[in-house]
Amino acid sequence: MKLFKSFIFTTLLLGLCSLSNAADSGIYAGLGLGKVNASISKGVDLTADFKGNDVGYKFIVGVHPIDWLAAEINYLDLGNPDSGIYYADSNGISGSVLAIKNVMPMLDVFAKGGLINWKAKINDDTKKLFDRNGTNPVYGGGLIVRLLDLSVRAEYEHFNIDQGGNLVSASVTWTFF
């Protein structure tokens, strides 16, 4: 966690430096890494509540056609959270629209909303208890620091996968065109 906080602090500090004008639009790709928090209430499949944390990652492909708008697709691996009783495995593909506001020469804030097509499994030591998939809303927001064609972002995303999941991540993207 200290490494993650140091990374965010360094990124924001670099964003305050006037290095050059950054690319505002184009097609971009990147990857992110962060902490996943998942929870599912007990019910038909589970005899106890499930709450667990793990490391998750995502691959990002997007288009930023105008200064205040972007659209992107993410492949998300939401890790393997473990509650001590249950073990989860979740992933999905999300599509989101980002509303972007420039607050400083190289610093943007954004809000995002879209849909995630997900698949989740929960097992205990003996058998598979939960195996579902679906399409649900996803929303979030964060900061983007732009350094030429390279962008670094700190982001929060909430996934309405059954009872819910969150991903707090740091991502790097590269704008190609």
Side-chain angles (χ1 to χ4, degrees):
M1 192 62 171
K2 284 186 177 186
L3 180 62
F4 183 74
K5 288 179 183 177
S6 297
F7 178 76
I8 297 300
F9 176 76
T10 303
T11 300
L12 291 174
L13 188 61
L14 286 172
L16 298 175
C17 299
S18 180
L19 297 175
S20 174
N21 290 335
D24 289 330
S25 61
I27 296 171
Y28 59 92
L31 55 101
L33 181 67
K35 181 181 178 184
V36 173
N37 175 287
S39 63
I40 297 175
S41 295
K42 68 180 178 180
V44 176
D45 299 325
L46 306 177
T47 58
D49 289 347
F50 172 84
K51 291 185 184 207
N53 301 306
D54 198 16
V55 174
Y57 64 89
K58 65 182 180 174
F59 296 102
I60 306 164
V61 176
V63 61
H64 190 177
I66 53 180
D67 290 344
W68 57 272
L69 182 70
E72 64 184 35
I73 295 174
N74 295 290
Y75 168 78
L76 299 125
D77 184 313
L78 299 175
N80 297 301
D82 173 359
S83 71
I85 302 171
Y86 304 119
Y87 310 92
D89 183 15
S90 302
N91 59 54
I93 296 176
S94 70
S96 301
V97 174
L98 285 71
I100 302 166
K101 173 72 175 156
N102 182 260
V103 293
M104 291 174 57
M106 296 170 56
L107 180 65
D108 298 334
V109 294
F110 70 94
K112 71 189 289 186
L115 295 172
I116 183 168
N117 185 305
W118 56 271
K119 182 173 177 94
K121 298 177 187 175
I122 296 180
N123 303 318
D124 65 9
D125 287 332
T126 60
K127 64 184 181 292
K128 186 185 309 181
L129 302 171
F130 178 100
D131 189 358
R132 296 189 188 149
N133 57 49
T135 302
N136 293 88
V138 58
Y139 60 86
L143 299 170
I144 302 172
V145 177
R146 296 176 284 119
L147 308 164
L148 299 172
D149 291 333
L150 180 73
S151 293
V152 179
R153 53 164 104 154
E155 181 173 5
Y156 166 81
E157 294 173 277
H158 177 76
F159 309 101
N160 285 336
I161 297 175
D162 245 337
Q163 296 298 317
N166 302 304
L167 175 63
V168 177
S169 64
S171 302
V172 176
T173 63
W174 184 264
T175 303
F176 296 98
F177 306 110

